[in-house]
Amino acid sequence: MEIKYKLYPYPVLSPYSNDYKEGIFQPTIDIVRDGYNLRIDFVASLTSKSLLECIRTGVAKYVYHIECAQTGFRTVVQTDKVSEVYTLLSKSVNGKLQICSFVVAVKDITGYSSPEFHDDYKGRSFDIEAGCVMAVGKMYTVDITKDIDDLANTPSIFNITRNPDPSCKQMLVDMSQRKIIIKLPMNDFYSYKALSTTPQAQAILNSLTVVPALVYVLEELRAMSPQERSENSDTLWYKVLSKALLTQFDCDIEDEAFDTLNFMILAQKLINDPLSDAFAFMTSSFGVAGGDE
């Protein structure tokens, strides 16, 4: 969505018109990496007293329209707060990301007028319907480059195998090999193998196997001294894991700060947060309602 130099039948505060003789609307938008995802920080800078009063009384809100044409992703963030944070899943975007900022009426406003209007509108009032734009900020455009480490790709450092011991009914994890070996009981392994042919089921499989296996590996590493951890440096899984932690999470696996991390949260982030996709697939498959209440 690109902001056009649109004319409105009522005064709108914008950088390309003089409908208001006073006031500016120019939000600051910062995008920072949060693991594999992106955190968008919005800080609204609005100096129009009339529009600020509309937001204060709940008849208008700040609205940020986020769109990625390449992936077809689009969403709207609506808030009455000066500062707002939105987490954008990296799998949702690729290439050019556009963010447009507005102040939008969320309720009908009867007889809206302002001493900040240009003299051409002096003494006039306007009926603003809910959904109408009242202020427009400059469009923010950024190129999102995919830089997802192979850790989110299951075959990279994990190997799902059948446990040859028929008496074992639990999943086991072996981190002594080049890859992390996840051993499943025979029946579970063949169930996994059958489900793995369905791409939509991958999030469920990752949640059931890879995430708990990764939590186990991270906990085992925490129990080691930094020097003991480095003894795994010849293995593929350790190289990929340490690189992902350093580049995506700014964490050195051989630093003491590693011990303070929440490994349940970290494991999910390292595998690109599969839980939401897993629940979405299951609710759609079983025909039950999900999402927001």
Side-chain angles (χ1 to χ4, degrees):
M1 175 183 181
E2 294 192 12
I3 296 177
K4 307 295 184 181
Y5 292 164
K6 181 178 178 180
L7 296 178
Y8 296 87
Y10 54 87
V12 171
L13 178 63
S14 72
Y16 54 81
S17 75
N18 61 353
D19 291 352
Y20 281 68
K21 60 184 179 182
E22 297 177 17
I24 60 168
F25 175 54
Q26 187 54 61
T28 299
I29 300 173
D30 291 319
I31 299 180
V32 295
R33 188 173 294 280
D34 181 16
Y36 290 123
N37 298 324
L38 301 170
R39 191 186 77 237
I40 306 178
D41 295 329
F42 302 99
V43 179
S45 177
L46 176 63
T47 61
S48 165
K49 294 181 180 179
S50 300
L51 292 175
L52 285 170
E53 180 64 14
C54 288
I55 293 173
R56 188 191 69 80
T57 56
V59 297
K61 289 187 177 182
Y62 301 110
V63 172
Y64 303 98
H65 182 277
I66 306 171
E67 181 173 325
C68 179
Q70 185 168 329
T71 63
F73 171 83
R74 59 173 57 87
T75 191
V76 170
V77 177
Q78 188 178 117
T79 180
D80 56 5
K81 300 176 182 177
V82 172
S83 299
E84 188 61 73
V85 177
Y86 178 77
T87 298
L88 182 63
L89 301 181
S90 63
K91 56 191 172 186
S92 301
V93 296
N94 189 26
K96 185 166 69 173
L97 181 70
Q98 295 177 323
I99 303 177
C100 301
S101 308
F102 306 95
V103 173
V104 176
V106 294
K107 296 180 181 179
D108 292 342
I109 305 174
T110 303
Y112 174 68
S113 63
S114 170
E116 299 165 340
F117 286 168
H118 188 275
D119 290 341
D120 290 346
Y121 299 106
K122 187 175 181 180
R124 296 185 60 186
S125 61
F126 301 85
D127 293 338
I128 311 295
E129 295 181 354
C132 288
V133 172
M134 302 183 73
V136 180
K138 292 182 179 179
M139 184 174 67
Y140 180 91
T141 302
V142 62
D143 284 324
I144 304 298
T145 303
K146 288 287 188 179
D147 187 23
I148 303 299
D149 198 280
D150 284 341
L151 188 64
N153 181 16
T154 302
S156 62
I157 66 168
F158 298 96
N159 189 10
I160 312 293
T161 66
R162 175 176 62 86
N163 192 333
D165 182 1
S167 65
C168 183
K169 304 300 181 183
Q170 292 78 37
M171 182 180 80
L172 300 178
V173 178
D174 178 7
M175 51 188 285
S176 65
Q177 308 297 319
R178 182 172 178 269
K179 293 186 177 184
I180 296 171
I181 309 298
I182 301 176
K183 298 179 181 180
L184 298 177
M186 183 181 298
N187 290 340
D188 294 343
F189 172 74
Y190 288 115
S191 296
Y192 176 94
K193 192 173 181 180
L195 287 169
S196 64
T197 60
T198 304
Q200 296 90 334
Q202 193 60 56
I204 298 176
L205 298 177
N206 285 346
S207 299
L208 290 172
T209 58
V210 176
V211 170
L214 194 51
V215 171
Y216 170 82
V217 170
L218 293 170
E219 291 287 359
E220 288 293 301
L221 289 172
R222 173 153 54 191
M224 302 176 186
S225 67
Q227 183 176 354
E228 289 174 322
R229 294 172 200 165
S230 65
E231 294 175 1
N232 295 287
S233 59
D234 289 337
T235 62
L236 174 65
W237 68 261
Y238 188 85
K239 291 177 181 177
V240 174
L241 178 59
S242 58
K243 178 185 175 183
L245 286 171
L246 189 61
T247 59
Q248 304 294 336
F249 298 90
D250 195 26
C251 173
D252 187 343
I253 198 171
E254 295 174 11
D255 189 87
E256 292 182 357
F258 172 80
D259 299 340
T260 66
L261 298 176
N262 184 319
F263 291 149
M264 176 59 73
I265 294 176
L266 181 60
Q268 294 176 75
K269 287 186 174 182
L270 283 166
I271 309 301
N272 224 349
D273 293 312
L275 200 59
S276 294
D277 286 344
F279 277 120
F281 176 68
M282 287 190 291
T283 52
S284 63
S285 298
F286 293 110
V288 297
D292 296 334
E293 292 185 355

